[in-house]
Amino acid sequence: MILHTIGYEGASQGAVIAALKAAGVRLLLDVRELPSSRRAGFSKSPLRASLEAEGIAYLHLKKLGTPKEGRLANRAGRMDEFWSIVEEGLARPEAQYELGLAGSLSLDKPACLLCFEADHSQCHRLTVANRLTAAHGFDVIHLRPDPGF
């Protein structure tokens, strides 16, 4: 079973949706703590509506998001601190519950984890994907939206 991830940094909503459709994704799991964005089309309600119009379900899993202090550490380039905060957050019981839910749902239909960063190696969704892989044996594919779409 495959689990996809995608970041929307530098991409249009259309490019992200095209990448999801090309990969056969049927469920987008939004793993941002705060599902809002300055980029048009990536706040929770407009994103959900656009996805559902294309036959892709949407679910926000807030507890799998990076807490504010982690986002600040990432922006400042304090990556050791960032990864430590991510690990601490994912160890909380409410995050463990949402990890279980994400795993179960991803076994039922092709799913993709969404966050902001284009480079998955700099994003907490990599840790989320790795935990889901350890628990369920997923093969992970990191999608890159075509910026020209």
Side-chain angles (χ1 to χ4, degrees), residues 15-123:
V16 169
I17 291 173
L20 296 173
K21 289 176 68 174
V25 170
R26 307 290 299 155
L27 171 64
L28 185 82
L29 300 171
D30 187 340
V31 294
R32 300 174 291 170
E33 182 183 50
L34 303 173
S36 60
S37 178
R38 293 183 196 139
R39 292 194 54 80
F42 289 103
S43 291
K44 183 177 183 173
S45 294
L47 180 59
R48 173 188 286 142
S50 295
L51 288 165
E52 289 177 355
E54 296 292 336
I56 301 171
Y58 171 93
L59 179 63
H60 176 225
L61 296 173
K62 176 181 179 153
K63 300 303 180 182
L64 297 184
T66 302
K68 182 177 182 177
E69 62 272 12
R71 294 189 306 272
L72 294 173
N74 186 313
R75 282 188 211 120
R78 299 187 314 268
M79 297 310 287
D80 288 342
E81 180 183 351
F82 166 72
W83 291 117
S84 177
I85 291 167
V86 167
E87 290 292 342
E88 289 171 15
L90 291 175
R92 295 184 316 236
E94 56 272 21
Q96 290 294 304
Y97 171 79
E98 287 192 352
L99 277 168
L101 178 60
S104 295
L105 293 171
S106 298
L107 289 170
D108 286 342
K109 62 174 80 173
C112 183
L113 306 176
L114 169 97
C115 197
F116 173 72
E117 289 81 5
D119 181 357
H120 66 273
S121 70
Q122 301 298 309
C123 182

